[in-house]
Amino acid sequence: MLKTGYLSILKVAFPLMVGNFVQSIVLITDMAFLARLDSVSFDAAGNAGLLYVTFYMIAAGFGDSMQITKARFIGRNEVSVIPRFFQTGVLSLLLLALVFYLILSQVMPGLLLDYSYSSAIAEAQGEFLGIRSFALFFSLSSLALMSFLMATGKTQIVFVSSILMSTVNIILDYGLIFGELGLPKMGLEGAALASVLAEVTVFIFLLFYFLLRKWIREYNLFKNFHFDLHALKTLFSIGWPLMLQGCITLGTWTVFFSWIEQMGGHNLEISQNIRSIYFLAFVPIFGFAATTKTYISQFIGADRIGEIPLVQRRIQLLVTVTLLIFFHGAILYPDFLISMINPNEVVLGDSVYIIQQVAPAIFVFGLTSVYFNTVAGSGNTMASLAIEAISTGVYLSSAYLFIYILQWDIVGIWYVEYIYFATLGIVSLVYLRFFNWTKTGRIA
């Protein structure tokens, strides 16, 4: 069982944070490489990448249900049922990968050409997705493996796999985008291919780890591998709200950036700079989000409800401190960070101003995300879906008002971040205060 001490919490969260940090560095490096290629590639990769991540986050919702379910069974000491949930989850994610691949590679390019303001950016997005979408088969398989590791609190290997993927991605990005290291010069398509090959490398690494580690073999995860309908019903009953939630969360940001694209390439380039810097803040926030879900689910399973408020406070303190470490540059030296990503001085001034103005909202998000992930970790995924739907509904309505009705400039539009993060926190707190969430999230 997990312990409530700061060091115990950090032991679970730190590998996830470092893994997220390395992945954020990869994203920043990708954008920096492409910014030095041309602005069309820079903008196309940013928007196409959001589309890919949106579909990935839908699957991640199902992966979260695998994590929550297995953590609950571990808390109850009912580990014998874990293999059939794991095996059913793996097969389900592979089916999702096939469906999402067909949508992104065959359907989405045509839709982008019909909708986008810039045909050049739309065509480039289609070319990027045609290659990048193939990675789904490997990234979703890795997601299934990592859900087990996070449920057990053994997150160190997640960190190692992140380091491996990032290293491979950066090296291949440099080689395939610019034609260095004896590799062909492929430009934007080279960035997509580098990501695919990095995902393949990580999946192979994780698979061998699972097959060779004795403590994992003792769970019999791969014995009599089969699909179990009851396990699917349980996973889906918990996971479908999380899947829809992931679609809403990233889909909302995708819509927001598509509206920005309608305002012209200059505003889109500024917003892509802000998005890239944001991923530094997501390092501790996402790391502690996964940690919160594991703690809450295990503690409810072990009937340690009274210790949950203590865990919440300690995670909030830790996420605030680590945000100061990872995100302080957005406040103190944003011009340096942004110029590393995009050397275009035309967009530097507005990018610096916006990131300094919205940086405090990120700290609000760090605190409110603990409450939101408490709801998800308790198994009340319908409630977490409702909270996300309300928050993103307010967010999109505000963004539409700012962009199309009031016609604010790009600086004013980005204040919408305060509205989203505050709404998420308020609605989560209302639910935790007035609903019996420790009883309604039971997993059978």
Side-chain angles (χ1 to χ4, degrees):
M1 274 298 297
L2 298 171
K3 299 179 180 179
T4 60
Y6 286 108
L7 289 178
S8 297
I9 296 172
L10 275 175
K11 185 178 179 181
V12 176
F14 184 74
L16 296 172
M17 286 193 298
V18 176
N20 285 331
F21 175 70
V22 175
Q23 293 183 38
S24 296
I25 293 299
V26 169
L27 182 140
I28 291 170
T29 304
D30 284 355
M31 300 304 287
F33 285 156
L34 292 171
R36 287 156 177 79
L37 189 65
D38 57 71
S39 60
V40 170
S41 296
F42 179 79
D43 291 337
N47 276 18
L50 273 178
L51 279 171
Y52 176 88
V53 173
T54 297
F55 280 84
Y56 175 84
M57 288 303 295
I58 297 172
F62 192 83
D64 282 346
S65 76
M66 294 175 66
Q67 176 189 346
I68 292 166
T69 302
K70 283 176 281 193
R72 187 67 55 84
F73 287 132
I74 291 171
R76 295 177 183 171
N77 198 27
E78 298 176 4
V79 296
S80 62
V81 300
I82 289 178
R84 58 191 177 93
F85 282 87
F86 173 80
Q87 294 164 13
T88 302
V90 170
L91 295 172
S92 301
L93 284 172
L94 284 174
L95 178 60
L96 276 179
L98 176 61
V99 174
F100 292 168
Y101 168 75
L102 293 174
I103 294 173
L104 285 175
S105 64
Q106 305 300 318
V107 179
M108 197 59 67
L111 294 178
L112 289 170
L113 281 171
D114 292 337
Y115 177 77
S116 297
Y117 176 79
S118 168
S119 59
I121 292 178
E123 289 177 4
Q125 288 184 73
E127 293 170 359
F128 184 89
L129 288 172
I131 298 173
R132 184 72 173 96
S133 57
F134 189 71
L136 284 166
F137 294 102
F138 302 96
S139 61
L140 268 57
S141 298
S142 297
L143 183 65
L145 301 179
M146 288 190 288
S147 71
F148 171 80
L149 295 171
M150 288 188 286
T152 59
K154 307 285 188 180
T155 54
Q156 294 86 349
I157 194 63
V158 179
F159 157 65
V160 175
S161 64
S162 298
I163 293 286
L164 176 62
M165 185 180 74
S166 304
T167 303
V168 172
N169 199 357
I170 290 174
I171 293 173
L172 291 180
D173 257 347
Y174 176 69
L176 292 170
I177 291 175
F178 300 112
E180 302 291 344
L181 308 176
L183 298 173
K185 183 177 181 179
M186 299 177 62
L188 178 62
E189 292 180 338
L193 180 58
S195 298
V196 173
L197 294 175
E199 296 281 10
V200 172
T201 303
V202 166
F203 170 68
I204 293 173
F205 168 74
L206 285 173
L207 183 60
F208 273 99
Y209 180 84
F210 267 66
L211 293 175
L212 296 177
R213 294 295 291 184
K214 182 179 178 180
W215 74 270
I216 293 179
R217 294 202 308 272
E218 290 174 351
Y219 279 88
N220 295 317
L221 296 179
F222 299 100
K223 185 177 180 180
N224 299 322
F225 209 96
H226 69 286
F227 184 86
D228 186 281
L229 185 59
H230 173 72
L232 176 64
K233 290 179 179 178
T234 301
L235 289 171
F236 190 71
S237 66
I238 297 169
W240 80 260
L242 295 173
M243 296 167 71
L244 186 54
Q245 179 184 311
C247 179
I248 292 172
T249 303
L250 269 296
T252 298
W253 221 15
T254 302
V255 171
F256 176 68
F257 272 81
S258 71
W259 288 350
I260 297 295
E261 191 265 347
Q262 298 285 321
M263 298 173 63
H266 177 79
N267 292 315
L268 179 59
E269 191 170 352
I270 290 171
S271 298
Q272 296 292 4
N273 288 341
I274 305 305
R275 183 181 76 96
S276 299
I277 299 299
Y278 256 34
F279 276 85
L280 291 175
F282 292 159
V283 169
I285 291 174
F286 289 168
F288 281 108
T291 302
T292 301
K293 286 194 284 281
T294 294
Y295 263 87
I296 298 303
S297 190
Q298 281 204 20
F299 276 36
I300 291 177
D303 200 25
R304 296 170 62 183
I305 311 297
E307 298 177 68
I308 288 177
L310 174 63
V311 171
Q312 289 175 320
R313 291 193 299 270
R314 290 185 171 179
I315 291 177
Q316 285 178 320
L317 177 60
L318 290 170
V319 77
T320 302
V321 171
T322 49
L323 268 174
L324 288 171
I325 295 172
F326 285 102
F327 198 59
H328 71 278
I331 301 172
L332 300 180
Y333 45 89
D335 50 342
F336 172 74
L337 289 179
I338 292 172
S339 62
M340 285 181 62
I341 299 168
N342 188 350
N344 186 358
E345 294 185 359
V346 175
V347 299
L348 180 61
D350 282 342
S351 299
V352 168
Y353 184 80
I354 291 171
I355 197 64
Q356 286 184 318
Q357 296 307 304
V358 301
I362 288 294
F363 286 87
V364 174
F365 185 34
L367 297 175
T368 60
S369 66
V370 175
Y371 297 123
F372 178 68
N373 284 288
T374 295
V375 179
S378 70
N380 292 281
T381 51
M382 280 293 293
S384 67
L385 170 61
I387 293 169
E388 186 66 64
I390 292 170
S391 303
T392 53
V394 172
Y395 175 85
L396 275 183
S397 300
S398 302
Y400 187 88
L401 174 68
F402 296 166
I403 294 171
Y404 291 108
I405 307 300
L406 300 178
Q407 296 185 353
W408 285 0
D409 63 15
I410 192 63
V411 173
I413 290 168
W414 270 91
Y415 281 106
V416 74
E417 299 296 286
Y418 283 95
I419 295 174
Y420 171 72
F421 295 140
T423 304
L424 187 73
I426 291 170
V427 180
S428 297
L429 280 171
V430 168
Y431 178 79
L432 293 173
R433 174 66 177 82
F434 294 105
F435 290 83
N436 193 8
W437 53 275
T438 61
K439 300 294 183 184
T440 57
R442 294 298 181 187
I443 296 172

